[in-house]
């Protein structure tokens, strides 16, 4: 955990949008670092960003020395690490968490365009 969370994001990305929602629901302060997916041939292809995420996808969350990629992994990380924030993103039982994960994955994997 760090005092400053950094989120590499693009305003039109639904994956980045869901991470921003989670950060805000948890009341966490973060710095948004824009990565424009069209300008300059796609800023996600720049060498500096490629080092953060070799897949050249957003979002990417930096929390101290920890680098977390993929929106659903980021959201679960935030819920587990920042549980003291008072807002819980996932329900308490395994059955309820499975339902939430299946609904979220339906959007993230089946609907989300690459």
């Amino acid at each position: 955990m760090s005092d400053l969370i950094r989120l590499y994001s693009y305003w039109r990305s639904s994956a980045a949008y869901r991470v921003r929602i989670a950060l805000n629901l948890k009341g966490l302060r973060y710095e948004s670092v824009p990565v424009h997916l069209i300008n300059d041939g796609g800023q996600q292809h720049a060498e500096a960003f490629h080092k953060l995420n070799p897949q050249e996808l957003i979002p990417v969350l930096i929390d101290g020395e920890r680098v977390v990629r993929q929106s659903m992994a980021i959201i679960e990380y935030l819920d587990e690490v920042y549980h003291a924030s008072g807002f819980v993103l996932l329900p308490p039982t395994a059955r309820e968490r499975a339902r939430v994960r299946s609904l979220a994955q339906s959007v993230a994997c089946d609907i989300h365009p690459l």
Side-chain angles (χ1 to χ4, degrees), residues 20-59:
R20 290 192 306 271
I21 290 170
L23 285 161
N24 287 307
L25 285 172
K26 301 229 17 115
L28 298 173
R29 289 183 20 191
Y30 66 98
E31 174 190 2
S32 183
V33 180
V35 179
H36 201 288
L37 301 181
I38 299 170
N39 288 355
D40 306 320
Q43 295 172 344
Q44 73 276 20
H45 303 300
E47 185 178 339
F49 188 79
H50 179 84
K51 288 180 182 177
L52 284 177
N53 189 353
Q55 289 183 298
E56 298 179 351
L57 299 172
I58 56 157

Side-chain angles (χ1 to χ4, degrees), residues 34-98:
V35 179
H36 201 288
L37 301 181
I38 299 170
N39 288 355
D40 306 320
Q43 295 172 344
Q44 73 276 20
H45 303 300
E47 185 178 339
F49 188 79
H50 179 84
K51 288 180 182 177
L52 284 177
N53 189 353
Q55 289 183 298
E56 298 179 351
L57 299 172
I58 56 157
V60 174
L61 184 107
I62 309 292
D63 186 18
E65 297 297 316
R66 172 81 51 208
V67 178
V68 187
R69 301 165 188 93
Q70 297 293 337
S71 63
M72 298 309 298
I74 293 169
I75 290 168
E76 289 195 32
Y77 168 82
L78 292 171
D79 207 33
E80 292 172 6
V81 171
Y82 292 98
H83 55 275
S85 73
F87 192 92
V88 179
L89 298 170
L90 290 172
T93 69
R95 178 182 220 147
E96 292 168 324
R97 285 192 305 275

